[in-house]
Amino acid sequence: MGAEPGQERGSAVVEFVFLGTLLLVPVVYFVIAVGQVQGGSFAVVSAADHAAKVFAAAEEPATAHGLAEQAAIVSVQDFGFDPADLTLSIACGSGACLEPGSTVTVEVALDVPLPLLSGMGMSFARVNSSATQIVEQYG
């Protein structure tokens, strides 16, 4: 059963393809997942920043909440995430909302879904960000 000198027998190509695929698929999925989390972190930073700016620039507190929520939803959608996974909270600093010189803080959280399985409702990570904006003194 021994191989004679000069004759090589084996299945190195098959083993390489099988092991390469077995190891490469999880690594590629991990890289995609890390990219998804990074995209989610960019989305929440953008959403918090835009929502705080829109809220501080609004004329009335009643419409400011709706405008800030819409700004956050648009920012999250721009990055390809579902607005249903978004959590938004707005807090006004000392004094009433939109009082000149007061601050507005917006906190945004996003549940990042598993890559390629976004329809199953499983969250891979939760990223959050906050932004504070000062209402203009002489606006």
Side-chain angles (χ1 to χ4, degrees), residues 2-93:
E4 296 179 20
Q7 292 181 343
E8 293 185 14
R9 299 176 64 168
S11 57
V13 172
V14 175
E15 291 172 3
F16 177 75
V17 170
F18 177 72
L19 289 175
T21 303
L22 189 66
L23 296 174
L24 189 61
V25 169
V27 169
V28 169
Y29 190 80
F30 177 73
V31 169
I32 292 171
V34 169
Q36 187 92 349
V37 171
Q38 186 67 34
S41 67
F42 287 148
V44 293
V45 168
S46 173
D49 188 44
H50 286 100
K53 287 179 182 177
V54 166
F55 191 95
E59 297 291 326
E60 300 174 356
T63 59
H65 285 279
L67 293 172
E69 186 175 330
Q70 287 296 333
I73 287 172
V74 168
S75 286
V76 168
Q77 284 178 334
D78 282 347
F79 284 90
F81 292 98
D82 187 10
D85 297 332
L86 180 70
T87 305
L88 177 76
S89 67
I90 300 171
C92 298

